[in-house]
Amino acid sequence: MSKTERRWVLLWSMAVIGLSCLPYLLAWRLAPTGTHYTGLLLNHFDGESYYAKMQQGARGDWLFHLAFTPEPHQGAFIFTFYLALGHLAAWLRLPIPLAYHLARAAAGLFLLLVAYRFIARFFDRIPTRRIAFLLLCFSAGFGWLLAPLGVTTADLWVVEGFTFLSILTNPHFPLAIGLMLLLFLKALEPRHSLPHLLGVAGLGLLLAVVQPFAVPILFAVLAVYLAILSWRERHLPRLHLLVSSAAMAGAAPLTLYDFYVSRANPALAAWSAQNLTPSLPPWDYALGYGLVLLLAAGGVAIALRRRQPTDLFLLSWVGTAILLLYLPFALQRRFITGLHVPLVLLAALAVEQILHPRLRARRRRPVTGLLIGFTALTNLFVPLVAVIGVAQGRPPLVMSGDEAAACTWLRQHTAWTDTVLAPVASGQFIPAWAGNRVVYGHPFETIEARAKEAEVVRFYTPGTDAATRRALLERYGVRYLLTLSAMPDLDPVMVGLVPVWSQGEATLYRAEVSP
């Protein structure tokens, strides 16, 4: 790879990272007076959950606890990436959201630089490499066109399935995809040396730390590819197998531990039972990948005809991902992670082999530019809609100033083990911004979430009697209560509450009840 090519990749990668940061800067600038911007644009429940994990790391923890549920429980060595990020934020004295976005930008840059190296393994021609790279950076499907009609397709919200959305939304998806690509490169370009194998094992371990769900994808794709390669070559590719085994040896122990602890730890088991992410219908994915998928179908035809090792690898990845997406598994949608990459490479293959030969040389560049621009429209639409939501002050993209002030008071004056009862809409903010446990705050990470949500709603409903309210505080060991509007029928003395802080419409009470 020449110096000019490396400079082109670096400049475009930095431009993409800059574009991914621009919506957050606009949102921060446009948030209405009297509100507090959360620093999130997509998947707010997930984002607040990542902040909460970083809060745990920032206070010095290396064992994860569910912060969105009031039950005391044993911690586990999972979500270590965000715990470590919290430790780093505390060491550097950075606010949690700033540390989160710096990590997101760094992970995105890592993904893009590795991705171009990965692309270069498949294409010799620089123009084709650039087409594949730009499609990877910007492409999505028809979501922008269908959203105004009330149709929500995958490219609007399934973050891990689309490169730009991954870079836009969080640090662990782009980092995990970049690590997957790096490990695939190691397997495609194997070397027989102990330092190399140890490095591969280390990358495998790091992938398991960052995103355990990416590990089965890695294993399955490599297994299918090696099986096909063995059948094609009539012998076992031992060096490829050795390198792949090193990756598996590094990733397997922690992945197995995650699987074990999610069932052996009662709290994590209860969380896992309601943490369901089923796959979407095939038509939804088809619309979500849109024109890229149509082009990739042409690339599949070329790959099936040529059957070069690189072709077989791309076919192995796509075929394996399709099977994984519809396995009878509660988290099957997670197996879409990184699928955008092989689809884009197959699409670029179709552009090179099918589209360009049918165009005059002077028309190839503008047609390709229009193609990339058309596929990028969803990735303009999604952050634009979110920024408009922030500018209009829509919760939960923003908190009220009083909510934010209450979180600050809790963080400064309470212990994380002090359980807080908050209105349903505010429960997600307290673990993320104050670090406390809550009675209800998350549809997955609150144990028996629906039942607790109903109890919280009942507590704040006018007309609920004092005995019912007091019983809820006692049942969950509530130490503090947050109200965000006047509750004329709330008798603090009868319920066992003492006001300790107030600002505007927000009031915090200390509960003087026995759990």
Side-chain angles (χ1 to χ4, degrees):
M1 194 181 300
S2 68
K3 183 177 180 181
T4 300
E5 190 176 4
R6 288 195 297 270
R7 184 168 60 247
W8 183 93
V9 175
L10 181 60
L11 289 175
W12 270 105
S13 298
M14 294 176 65
V16 171
I17 300 306
L19 289 172
S20 77
C21 294
L22 181 60
Y24 292 100
L25 296 174
L26 288 174
W28 174 74
R29 179 68 179 84
L30 297 174
T33 302
T35 66
H36 183 90
Y37 174 48
T38 63
L40 303 170
L41 294 175
L42 294 175
N43 297 355
H44 61 90
F45 274 124
D46 288 347
E48 301 291 359
S49 173
Y50 304 145
Y51 285 0
K53 295 173 177 67
M54 291 176 66
Q55 288 282 1
Q56 296 181 36
R59 67 176 181 242
D61 291 354
W62 282 108
L63 296 179
F64 166 75
H65 293 83
L66 288 169
F68 294 89
T69 201
E71 293 86 355
H73 55 275
Q74 187 176 4
F77 192 69
I78 58 175
F79 295 111
T80 315
F81 172 71
Y82 280 109
L83 294 173
L85 201 54
H87 278 271
L88 183 62
W91 181 60
L92 295 175
R93 298 186 178 181
L94 295 175
I96 294 293
L98 178 58
Y100 177 87
H101 283 291
L102 289 174
R104 180 188 60 78
L109 184 61
F110 168 75
L111 166 58
L112 294 177
L113 296 178
V114 172
Y116 192 86
R117 176 67 184 85
F118 186 79
I119 289 167
R121 179 66 178 75
F122 289 79
F123 297 109
D124 293 327
R125 298 184 65 249
I126 291 177
T128 307
R129 294 178 181 180
R130 291 180 173 180
I131 292 168
F133 183 74
L134 294 176
L135 281 173
L136 186 68
C137 290
F138 298 115
S139 69
F142 298 133
W144 67 274
L145 184 62
L146 297 171
L149 304 177
V151 180
T152 303
T153 52
D155 56 328
L156 298 173
W157 66 280
V158 183
V159 173
E160 59 267 49
F162 301 87
T163 303
F164 185 79
L165 283 188
S166 294
I167 294 172
L168 176 70
T169 306
N170 64 50
H172 74 280
F173 281 150
L175 181 55
I177 296 169
L179 289 169
M180 287 174 62
L181 297 183
L182 197 53
L183 283 163
F184 283 144
L185 273 174
K186 299 292 185 182
L188 291 170
E189 302 172 349
R191 284 190 291 157
H192 189 285
S193 70
L194 183 58
H196 180 75
L197 296 175
L198 290 175
V200 169
L203 289 173
L205 175 61
L206 184 57
L207 178 62
V209 168
V210 173
Q211 177 59 307
F213 296 119
V215 174
I217 304 171
L218 179 80
F219 287 6
V221 172
L222 289 176
V224 170
Y225 171 66
L226 292 177
I228 294 174
L229 201 61
S230 298
W231 175 79
R232 180 178 180 269
E233 302 294 336
R234 297 292 190 270
H235 67 85
L236 186 66
R238 295 181 179 178
L239 189 53
H240 292 78
L241 180 60
L242 182 63
V243 174
S244 300
S245 299
M248 295 179 187
L254 190 57
T255 305
L256 293 174
Y257 169 78
D258 287 344
F259 181 80
Y260 164 77
V261 79
S262 67
R263 284 150 180 79
N265 184 306
L268 298 180
W271 162 51
S272 298
Q274 59 189 15
N275 185 24
L276 306 177
T277 54
S279 199
L280 304 177
W283 63 264
D284 197 322
Y285 291 128
L287 293 172
Y289 284 111
L291 192 55
V292 167
L293 184 62
L294 291 175
L295 289 168
V300 167
I302 297 169
L304 287 171
R305 185 179 68 248
R306 297 192 316 184
R307 292 194 292 275
Q308 296 177 2
T310 51
D311 299 325
L312 296 176
F313 179 82
L314 294 177
L315 294 173
S316 299
W317 191 347
V318 172
T320 301
I322 291 172
L323 291 174
L324 290 174
L325 280 170
Y326 295 100
L327 282 178
F329 178 60
L331 302 171
Q332 57 188 188
R333 196 181 67 237
R334 297 298 185 192
F335 293 138
I336 199 175
T337 302
L339 179 58
H340 193 219
V341 177
L343 291 178
V344 160
L345 266 66
L346 289 166
L349 180 62
V351 170
E352 180 189 66
Q353 299 290 324
I354 298 175
L355 180 61
H356 279 181
R358 287 167 171 76
L359 297 172
R360 294 180 181 177
R362 61 186 178 87
R363 293 184 177 178
R364 290 175 183 170
R365 180 172 291 183
V367 169
T368 303
L370 287 173
L371 171 68
I372 295 170
F374 182 81
T375 63
L377 292 175
T378 291
N379 289 327
L380 292 174
F381 175 82
V382 169
L384 177 62
V385 169
V387 170
I388 291 173
V390 173
Q392 294 174 344
R394 294 180 191 167
L397 295 172
V398 299
M399 293 185 280
S400 70
D402 295 341
E403 282 176 300
C407 288
T408 299
W409 190 92
L410 287 168
R411 186 175 65 250
Q412 293 174 348
H413 295 90
T414 67
W416 73 269
T417 50
D418 290 334
T419 298
V420 179
L421 176 62
V424 166
S426 302
Q428 63 182 293
F429 299 130
I430 291 171
W433 294 86
N436 298 90
R437 298 186 305 208
V438 289
V439 175
Y440 173 82
H442 198 283
F444 296 148
E445 295 190 27
T446 300
I447 295 173
E448 298 180 351
R450 290 185 179 180
K452 287 195 178 73
E453 181 181 10
E455 288 182 291
V456 171
V457 169
R458 187 179 181 188
F459 184 98
Y460 287 96
T461 299
T464 301
D465 61 90
T468 299
R469 285 172 169 158
R470 186 180 180 95
L472 185 144
L473 300 181
E474 292 176 346
R475 182 159 56 252
Y476 295 119
V478 172
R479 186 60 174 162
Y480 291 92
L481 168 73
L482 172 66
T483 63
L484 292 170
S485 60
M487 295 181 66
D489 66 332
L490 176 66
D491 186 334
V493 175
M494 291 294 292
V495 179
L497 299 171
V498 177
V500 293
W501 174 90
S502 66
Q503 174 179 303
E505 295 188 345
T507 301
L508 282 167
Y509 298 88
R510 185 174 66 248
E512 302 291 342
V513 296
S514 300

